[in-house]
Amino acid sequence: FQFVGKWALCVLFIWVTHELSHFLTSHFLGIRTTLSLNSVTFEPNQLIAPREHLYIDASGPLATLTIAFLAFRLLKKRWSVWYFALVFTAFYMRSLAGIMNFINLNDEGRISNHLGFGTYTIPLLVIAPLLWMIYRISKTYRLSKRFLITTTIITMVTSSVIILLDPYLKTPVSP
């Protein structure tokens, strides 16, 4: 259970850092938001320029990619299951967001549309290097299918709990 708990904390860390990046960008731009585990929502009656929306949308994925890239670089030097958890969670999170674009546009989908690339171009450009990192790490350290399936299940369960708790853990925060 210790492994599961630590892995779940890595998932939570990625999730919170992602949303906190959206919040901090909003705050820096003087935009009032409500922060929760899985979203940052704008307070009503604010004029938000398209460029500001773009910055806010980009900040979460950029934070997630930065953490994944740094963890990947550290993994190139030595194995750490916790660094792998960060890379894997980043991949899972951005893949889930990419799939959810079919239902409701997420960060990369909105950015892609805003830039005129279509809904799925930017999501694929974000997911592809994360998938490549997972592949390289898995090959380098000969990770077993059992390990990858187990960690996928832990990640799915933890992220589902985060998503389900989201409506109950909103915190209004003003700049």
Side-chain angles (χ1 to χ4, degrees):
F1 288 114
Q2 186 178 11
F3 175 81
V4 173
K6 285 184 179 179
W7 189 281
L9 284 176
C10 288
V11 174
L12 183 63
F13 173 77
I14 287 283
W15 230 272
V16 168
T17 302
H18 178 96
E19 297 306 334
L20 196 56
S21 296
H22 288 307
F23 166 74
L24 291 173
T25 303
S26 301
H27 184 75
F28 178 75
L29 295 171
I31 298 167
R32 293 180 314 281
T33 59
T34 298
L35 174 65
S36 65
L37 285 177
N38 192 44
S39 65
V40 171
T41 33
F42 301 116
E43 295 296 320
N45 303 320
Q46 296 181 90
L47 292 175
I48 304 168
R51 183 175 298 262
E52 292 173 325
H53 269 286
L54 186 65
Y55 294 153
I56 294 164
D57 285 340
S59 63
L62 285 173
T64 303
L65 285 171
T66 300
I67 292 167
F69 179 74
L70 292 172
F72 177 73
R73 297 289 297 175
L74 291 168
L75 279 163
K76 288 177 78 174
K77 296 178 182 182
R78 70 176 182 87
W79 169 251
S80 166
V81 70
W82 314 122
Y83 296 153
F84 180 72
L86 296 174
V87 176
F88 188 86
T89 301
F91 166 71
Y92 176 83
M93 177 191 213
R94 300 328 307 150
S95 296
L96 181 61
I99 292 166
M100 293 307 294
N101 280 318
F102 285 105
I103 298 168
N104 185 30
L105 289 183
N106 280 282
D107 303 331
E108 294 91 337
R110 286 190 300 269
I111 294 166
S112 205
N113 276 344
H114 177 81
L115 296 175
F117 296 143
T119 302
Y120 303 101
T121 304
I122 300 294
L124 289 173
L125 291 173
V126 168
I127 295 166
L130 292 168
L131 177 60
W132 177 82
M133 288 181 212
I134 297 296
Y135 174 78
R136 292 299 309 148
I137 296 164
S138 298
K139 287 294 181 189
T140 299
Y141 293 106
R142 297 183 180 132
L143 303 180
S144 70
K145 288 180 184 175
R146 181 179 180 192
F147 174 79
L148 293 171
I149 290 168
T150 301
T151 54
T152 300
I153 291 168
I154 297 167
T155 305
M156 290 173 73
V157 169
T158 304
S159 63
S160 296
V161 168
I162 290 169
I163 292 165
L164 290 170
L165 286 176
D166 184 66
Y168 306 103
L169 299 174
K170 292 188 182 293
T171 306
V173 185
S174 298

